[in-house]
Amino acid sequence: MAALDTNVLVRFLVQDDTAQLATARKLFRRCVDAGESLFVPITVSLELEWVLRSSFGFDKPTVLQTLSQLLSSFELRFEAEGALEMALAHYGQSTADFSDCLHAALAGVAGEQPLWTFDKAAAKVDGARLLTAQS
């Protein structure tokens, strides 16, 4: 199974480069025709959210919808898919950044909680806890 970098998914999603979009689609078709899926590392998922939001102006609901649609795609297989699904759920319900939600979800899946943080917004995510002098 081959893996994808963030830029391939970005080209596929935002369709801002015709040549690269055509190449990405060709790769997806080739894998589907061969009955294979493409692997998406967790770091690519994290970077993808950031790029869509910061470079392309996707708002939170659009990011959530886009990542959820990718997760349901049979052409893609995501690293730590359960944690990624949890992170998306937390992100949709909190003021924390997606990265904080993902950190807490990965820690939870690993059975390593709480995720200690100085970030007050991140501390509101299930599985995270604010680190204070009294902690």
Side-chain angles (χ1 to χ4, degrees), residues 7-39:
N7 53 33
V8 176
L9 286 171
V10 168
R11 295 292 85 76
F12 183 76
L13 293 169
V14 301
Q15 302 179 10
D16 62 340
D17 183 305
T18 307
Q20 288 184 351
L21 172 61
T23 302
R25 284 181 174 165
K26 184 177 177 182
L27 173 64
F28 289 151
R29 267 193 306 277
R30 194 168 61 234
C31 288
V32 168
D33 291 347
E36 298 175 355
S37 57
L38 293 160
F39 179 72

Side-chain angles (χ1 to χ4, degrees), residues 49-70:
E49 182 276 335
W50 180 79
V51 168
L52 293 176
R53 187 176 37 77
S54 65
S55 297
F56 293 95
F58 282 37
D59 61 10
K60 188 175 185 173
T62 305
V63 167
L64 285 165
Q65 179 183 7
T66 301
L67 292 178
S68 294
Q69 288 173 341
L70 288 176

Side-chain angles (χ1 to χ4, degrees), residues 66-132:
T66 301
L67 292 178
S68 294
Q69 288 173 341
L70 288 176
L71 274 168
S72 66
S73 170
F74 65 89
E75 297 97 340
L76 303 175
R77 188 174 69 78
F78 287 81
E79 179 180 14
E81 188 168 332
L84 186 55
E85 289 171 344
M86 265 192 267
L88 288 172
H90 291 316
Y91 183 52
Q93 301 167 356
S94 74
T95 59
D97 292 336
F98 177 70
S99 59
D100 295 326
C101 295
L102 186 56
H103 300 325
L106 287 167
V109 168
E112 305 294 340
Q113 287 185 321
L115 174 72
W116 290 104
T117 182
F118 290 118
D119 183 331
K120 290 179 183 175
K124 294 178 183 178
V125 175
D126 288 342
R129 191 169 304 154
L130 187 65
L131 182 58
T132 65

